[in-house]
Amino acid sequence: MTHSHPHPPPPPRSLAAEAARLGPWFHNLHLPDGTQTRPDSPLGDFPANMWRHIAGHIPQDLTGWTALDIGCNSGFYSFDLARRGARVTAIDIDDTYLAQARWAARQFGLEGRVTFREQQVYDLAHSDQQWDLVLFMGVFYHLRYPQLALDAVARCVRRLMVFQSLSMPGEDVAEVPEDGDLFDRDAMLDPGWPKLAFIERQLAGDRTNWWAPNHAACLALLRSAGLRVVGHPATETYLCEPDPEGPSSMWRWDAAEFEIASGRRRG
C-alpha cells in the first residue's frame, strides 16, 4: 500500500522578487523588509529626497482630512499622507503604476486607507467633489492642456494644495501691469514676465514633457486658477490655498468655455 504525501508549500517569494516582477519602478519605495524598488534611480532616493523639503509644511496629524494624490505613480506620497491619518484617493492613468501601488499598500498595511483609481486629471472636471489636501506634483508639464487641468484641479481644493512642476531656471518676477498697449509688448521679453517654454519634441527622452513654466508663470497660473500661494518650500514647489478674494479667472471670464472644453456640457 502506498501513501501519498502532500507536496510541501513553495517557499514564500521575497519582496525583492515580487517587486522585480512588478517593475520597472519610478518611485523608490523602502519596503518593510528593507528592499528598495528603485535604488539605482538617476534621481537618487526619489521621491523621498523631494518629499523631505515638503513634508514639514503639511500637518503631521491629518486625522479627519481627505487627500487627493494626482498622478500617484506607485504611491509614495499617498502612503505618507495615509500614515498621518488622511483618507486618500490616488489617481493615475498608468495601470502598471497602479498595480505597483496596490501591491505596496498591502505590504505597508495601508490598503484600507488609500483608494486607487485609473483616472485622468481632466476627469476631475466632471465631479464637484473636494478634498482637504490635493497633491498636484510632477504632472502639470506632462499635460497637453495644462491650464484646463489646473482649473479642474483648483475646484477640488478645500484647504491646501501642493503644486510642483518642471520649470525654467530663475526666480525673477516682473511687475506686470493691469493692462497694456497692444502695440507695445517689449515688457514680455523681461525674464520675470510669466511665460511657458513649449517643448515641441522631447526632453530627457520623454515626449510627454510639453511645458516648462518660469517661476513667475507658476505664480500667475495658480492665481488665475483662484489659488493663493502661501509657501515656496523648494524649487519648483508651491503651497496654495483657495483665495476667496481672488476667485478663478475662469468664472470671472467665461465659465462656459471651461465647461465645454472639459466636456461638462455640450456647446
Side-chain angles (χ1 to χ4, degrees), residues 23-220:
W25 293 72
F26 182 59
H27 282 183
N28 183 39
L29 303 183
H30 293 244
L31 299 172
D33 70 346
T35 297
Q36 297 182 43
T37 57
R38 183 89 189 270
D40 58 347
S41 170
L43 299 174
D45 189 11
F46 180 85
N49 50 11
M50 175 181 289
W51 191 237
R52 289 187 193 100
H53 299 287
I54 302 165
H57 297 269
I58 295 172
Q60 273 298 125
D61 185 0
L62 293 175
T63 303
W65 285 50
T66 57
L68 173 65
D69 184 2
I70 300 168
C72 64
N73 203 275
S74 53
F76 178 94
Y77 304 126
S78 297
F79 299 144
D80 187 83
L81 300 181
R83 291 186 189 102
R84 298 180 189 216
R87 297 190 312 278
V88 184
T89 301
I91 68 173
D92 206 291
I93 60 171
D94 191 310
D95 55 3
T96 297
Y97 290 146
L98 289 170
Q100 294 171 353
R102 292 186 177 106
W103 174 84
R106 292 194 295 273
Q107 311 315 311
F108 291 124
L110 294 171
E111 61 268 42
R113 301 291 308 178
V114 186
T115 300
F116 294 100
R117 297 178 185 168
E118 186 172 347
Q119 192 173 355
Q120 283 269 3
V121 64
Y122 305 108
D123 291 328
L124 296 171
H126 297 265
S127 170
D128 293 320
Q129 184 175 357
Q130 288 189 316
W131 287 263
D132 296 299
L133 172 62
V134 175
L135 302 188
F136 191 29
M137 301 174 61
V139 177
F140 180 83
Y141 53 96
H142 290 298
L143 301 172
R144 185 74 175 181
Y145 311 104
Q147 186 67 51
L148 177 64
L150 182 57
D151 284 337
V153 171
R155 296 171 64 254
C156 299
V157 182
R158 182 179 291 122
R159 298 197 206 186
L160 184 66
M161 182 173 87
V162 182
F163 174 82
Q164 185 273 329
S165 175
L166 171 79
S167 301
M168 297 169 63
E171 295 209 350
D172 295 309
V173 178
E175 287 289 335
V176 176
E178 185 67 27
D179 198 354
D181 185 333
L182 179 64
F183 300 103
D184 183 10
R185 284 166 268 171
D186 289 346
M188 295 181 184
L189 299 175
D190 189 303
W193 185 277
K195 53 176 70 78
L196 285 80
F198 179 65
I199 303 163
E200 181 182 359
R201 295 181 177 86
Q202 58 184 347
L203 181 68
D206 188 340
R207 290 186 178 275
T208 73
N209 284 325
W210 290 110
W211 306 96
N214 64 3
H215 173 63
C218 289
L219 297 173

Side-chain angles (χ1 to χ4, degrees), residues 228-249:
R228 174 171 55 206
V229 175
V230 295
H232 185 34
T235 303
E236 304 184 335
T237 308
Y238 305 84
L239 302 176
C240 320
E241 60 185 25
D243 185 358
E245 298 178 1
S248 171
S249 298

